[in-house]
Amino acid sequence: MSHERKNELNHERKKLAVLISGRGSNMVALAAAVADGRVPGAEIALVLSDRADAPGRSLASERGIETLAVERLGRAREEHEREIVAALTEREIDLVCLAGFMRLLSPAFVGALSGRILNIHPSLLPAFPGLDAQRQAIEHGVKFSGCTVHFVDETLDGGAIIAQRVVALKDDDTPATLAARILTQEHEAYAEAVALVLSGDYELAGRRVVRRGAALRSDV
Amino acid sequence: MSHERKNELNHERKKLAVLISGRGSNMVALAAAVADGRVPGAEIALVLSDRADAPGRSLASERGIETLAVERLGRAREEHEREIVAALTEREIDLVCLAGFMRLLSPAFVGALSGRILNIHPSLLPAFPGLDAQRQAIEHGVKFSGCTVHFVDETLDGGAIIAQRVVALKDDDTPATLAARILTQEHEAYAEAVALVLSGDYELAGRRVVRRGAALRSDV
């Protein structure tokens, strides 16, 4: 049974696109996870940035990954997104991973790739959505925060949750020190989440992402 | 320095009141923590229930703790709360711990005991305030929840956070199975939080509760 699934995945590698705006540290971590077998049956087929000068581009190129800049500066969102979707479609991308991609995606974009866009957010959602999540967590005084990998839907950081990791706050944390510790966890959580989604070994029960075959109690 | 503090605390034991409506499992856990020295310099001076038939009353009596029922049924909140405050004042209670106390407290009550009321909530606040927090967490699909001990203010489950504990969710969790695992953590978190508050060894920075002397960066 698990053998069959493995064979199926190896039959044709699943194509990931990673969308970045900056250095794309989660992109680099995903590339490393793919390289060392933690995301079975996958390849990163494209790193797409919306800024020509995104530092992550050269990091991707060094790893032999195709890069493409679809500059957003001075362009209407619709036109910009259409070009991105065309690039993804042309390359038959299976799964899109946002990694510090700074532009909010329109419902049209999300609809075109429904269930095939993941994002990572530096908090334990639903706490602290939006910008500056680490600062929000510190100022709220929580003792634990973390990161969340989720499907992207029309809501801000509100899609179904695939994986989370917990990070303890320290009394003397600044947004920068907390962000650094969360980032380490992001790298692991993202690879784990991508592997799960590509394996197909999950089901969606309401907005819960559970392993396929896990008991889904009707009384929940 | 720490010697001085200890002596000071032992000089006169701090008096806790625990307010319950039901079996008061957190009350029992606090009593155990006080008995085995995890809450230095404290005694539980009163277990107050707002239902005469609260099962926790006999558990408290068995431990030699004074119990008092201030029946709420059929009474206006103001009058009921006045009677509770009078009972606490009469006994010179230092700290009030809510433990499954079901009635929402008025701003007047909270004001009368400002900074001296703690509550425990079965989620990682600010996520899932209000009723049925475990079910909320399951239905939202989070991978981690937990519990939060916080100061009580006028907001619903919104006061400054003193302690939290994390609990991993399982795919086949029901609200009951999750609640049971969180409850175990509640017992430890509550004792830890009460000990910290009674020690006085913390400061409030905005809404952050931090150990006294921990660096408070102005850039946060």
Side-chain angles (χ1 to χ4, degrees):
Chain A
M1 180 78 174
S2 65
H3 253 66
E4 275 173 28
R5 181 172 298 287
K6 265 192 183 158
N7 289 339
E8 200 181 303
L9 277 176
N10 287 333
H11 180 62
E12 189 174 312
R13 300 184 84 74
K14 302 279 181 145
K15 292 181 174 177
L16 301 181
V18 185
L19 271 54
I20 66 172
S21 293
R23 69 205 153 106
S25 115
N26 273 306
M27 176 273 292
V28 173
L30 277 174
V34 166
D36 69 14
R38 279 179 289 140
V39 190
E43 63 174 324
I44 300 184
L46 178 66
V47 168
L48 188 153
S49 66
D50 62 352
R51 289 172 43 182
D53 60 352
R57 288 187 69 193
S58 58
L59 298 173
S61 296
E62 284 167 16
R63 283 161 178 78
I65 301 169
E66 184 193 359
T67 68
L68 179 67
V70 182
E71 182 65 61
R72 69 164 153 165
L73 270 185
R75 303 183 60 193
R77 187 167 76 168
E78 263 190 37
E79 179 198 342
H80 185 240
E81 286 190 347
R82 254 203 313 272
E83 192 173 339
I84 294 175
V85 171
L88 300 173
T89 306
E90 189 186 332
R91 287 163 184 82
E92 298 181 309
I93 296 299
D94 294 293
L95 191 64
V96 177
C97 299
L98 308 184
F101 189 71
M102 296 305 288
R103 177 160 262 187
L104 261 184
L105 301 170
S106 70
F109 185 99
V110 173
L113 294 155
S114 181
R116 298 192 292 137
I117 317 177
L118 308 188
N119 187 34
I120 190 158
H121 182 81
S123 77
L124 290 176
L125 292 171
F128 314 125
L131 289 177
D132 241 346
Q134 300 94 338
R135 180 182 299 270
Q136 289 184 57
I138 290 173
E139 290 181 353
H140 195 86
V142 293
K143 303 303 179 186
F144 296 94
S145 189
C147 61
T148 302
V149 185
H150 61 90
F151 286 109
V152 172
D153 65 11
E154 325 68 47
T155 64
L156 175 66
D157 300 327
I161 292 169
I162 304 159
Q164 295 185 304
R165 295 288 176 103
V166 176
V167 172
L169 270 79
K170 300 177 180 177
D171 280 349
D172 62 351
D173 260 329
T174 64
T177 61
L178 177 59
R181 291 206 309 288
I182 291 177
L183 192 59
T184 307
Q185 296 300 315
E186 289 179 39
H187 296 164
E188 296 193 9
Y190 219 160
E192 174 192 314
V194 170
L196 177 64
V197 170
L198 289 184
S199 76
D201 198 21
Y202 68 95
E203 29 194 20
L204 207 52
R207 50 168 292 129
R208 302 170 64 210
V209 177
V210 296
R211 297 262 166 194
R212 192 175 292 282
L216 297 178
R217 315 281 184 86
S218 58
D219 59 340
V220 169
Chain B
M1 181 75 173
S2 65
H3 252 63
E4 274 174 28
R5 183 172 297 286
K6 265 191 186 159
N7 289 340
E8 200 181 304
L9 278 176
N10 288 333
H11 180 60
E12 188 176 313
R13 299 184 84 75
K14 301 280 180 148
K15 292 181 173 177
L16 302 180
V18 185
L19 270 55
I20 66 172
S21 293
R23 68 204 155 107
S25 114
N26 272 307
M27 175 272 292
V28 173
L30 276 175
V34 167
D36 70 13
R38 278 179 291 139
V39 190
E43 64 174 323
I44 300 185
L46 177 67
V47 168
L48 188 153
S49 67
D50 62 352
R51 290 171 43 181
D53 61 352
R57 288 188 68 192
S58 59
L59 297 172
S61 296
E62 283 167 17
R63 283 163 178 75
I65 300 169
E66 183 193 1
T67 69
L68 179 68
V70 183
E71 183 66 59
R72 70 165 153 164
L73 270 185
R75 305 183 59 193
R77 186 167 77 168
E78 262 189 38
E79 180 198 342
H80 185 239
E81 287 189 347
R82 254 200 314 270
E83 192 173 338
I84 294 174
V85 171
L88 299 173
T89 307
E90 189 186 330
R91 288 163 184 81
E92 300 181 308
I93 296 298
D94 294 293
L95 191 64
V96 177
C97 298
L98 308 184
F101 188 71
M102 297 304 290
R103 178 159 260 188
L104 262 184
L105 301 171
S106 71
F109 186 99
V110 172
L113 294 154
S114 181
R116 297 192 291 137
I117 316 177
L118 307 189
N119 186 34
I120 188 157
H121 182 80
S123 76
L124 289 176
L125 290 171
F128 314 126
L131 289 177
D132 242 345
Q134 300 93 339
R135 180 182 299 271
Q136 289 185 56
I138 290 173
E139 290 181 352
H140 196 86
V142 293
K143 304 303 180 186
F144 295 94
S145 189
C147 60
T148 302
V149 186
H150 60 91
F151 286 108
V152 172
D153 64 12
E154 325 68 48
T155 65
L156 176 66
D157 301 327
I161 292 169
I162 304 158
Q164 294 185 303
R165 293 288 175 104
V166 176
V167 171
L169 270 78
K170 300 177 179 175
D171 280 349
D172 62 352
D173 261 328
T174 64
T177 61
L178 177 59
R181 291 206 307 289
I182 291 176
L183 193 58
T184 307
Q185 297 300 315
E186 289 179 39
H187 296 164
E188 296 195 8
Y190 219 160
E192 175 192 314
V194 169
L196 177 64
V197 171
L198 290 184
S199 76
D201 198 20
Y202 68 95
E203 29 194 19
L204 207 53
R207 50 167 294 130
R208 303 171 64 211
V209 176
V210 296
R211 298 262 165 195
R212 191 175 293 281
L216 295 178
R217 315 282 184 88
S218 59
D219 61 340
V220 168

